[in-house]
Amino acid sequence: MKRLSSSILLAGIALNCLVPAISQVPEVAVPKLPDRVKLDGVLDDAAWSKAAKVGPFVNNDGTAIDDERTFVRIFYTGEALYLGWEMSDRDIEATLVKRDSRFWEEEVVEFFLTTGPLTRYYELQWNPLGGVFDAIIENRLDAQGKSLKFTGDWDYTARGMRSEVKVAGTVSDPSDRDRSWTVEVRIPFADLNTAAPAAGTRWRGNFYRFNRGGNRPAQKQAWSPTRDASFHQPSRFGTIRFLP
Ligand SMILES: [Ca+2]
Ligand SMILES: [Ca+2]
Ligand SMILES: [Ca+2]
């Protein structure tokens, strides 16, 4: 009995030491606002000025980004979560439009979110041409919280989700200098298989961007950098806290 207790204690200590504590990842406090957004890709609605804002993103290795910055504004209503993405970008390159394309091989922004355990989360993506990706990821983690292997359920569809993109520039014309692209997203809680979160609820999630252009290597941007080659390190997800 004594041996059993000490092994449980040791396991607890090991987990505490190695899994990143929630205090080591960023937190965003998300306000509840009336739904008066015109979903047109333009973030000039009054709600966006009252929304929470995360960013600028950093490189996924944790280093700062000087230009081509990324911000996400966030709020929620009784029915849905809203995201307003802003990407400054001198060269916007994208060709894929079909749902569930491999958008990450071009330019894309990504939202990973779990309302429960870190081993199962939604992966949602939007690209500059209005392309949408939605899947549910199952990710096996080791005792340190590091991903061993993940698989995706591509059959999942966020049926009520709506998004609109606005590009300031020209997509796939590198001869000119683009300015930015923005994405306005409405994600009904029903698509996340949950009711609206009660005030004080904390979910875990992360925001990412693949930025490309010219002959430069792909730039991996993150809100909470995973400091790994992969974005699929859910122990590094930030905390999304819902205000009253
Ligand atoms: Ca709008
Ligand atoms: Ca262009
Ligand atoms: Ca770009």
Side-chain angles (χ1 to χ4, degrees), residues 120-139:
R120 185 177 187 276
Y121 48 90
Y122 297 94
E123 176 174 356
L124 307 171
Q125 304 181 3
W126 304 273
N127 89 340
L129 295 175
V132 174
F133 174 98
D134 42 17
I136 293 176
I137 307 298
E138 301 269 358
N139 198 332

Side-chain angles (χ1 to χ4, degrees), residues 58-81:
V58 295
N59 287 304
N60 199 42
D61 64 5
T63 58
I65 291 171
D66 296 331
D67 61 354
E68 311 220 321
R69 300 202 296 176
T70 309
F71 296 90
V72 188
R73 293 187 235 182
I74 315 159
F75 72 92
Y76 76 111
T77 67
E79 288 79 40
L81 184 65

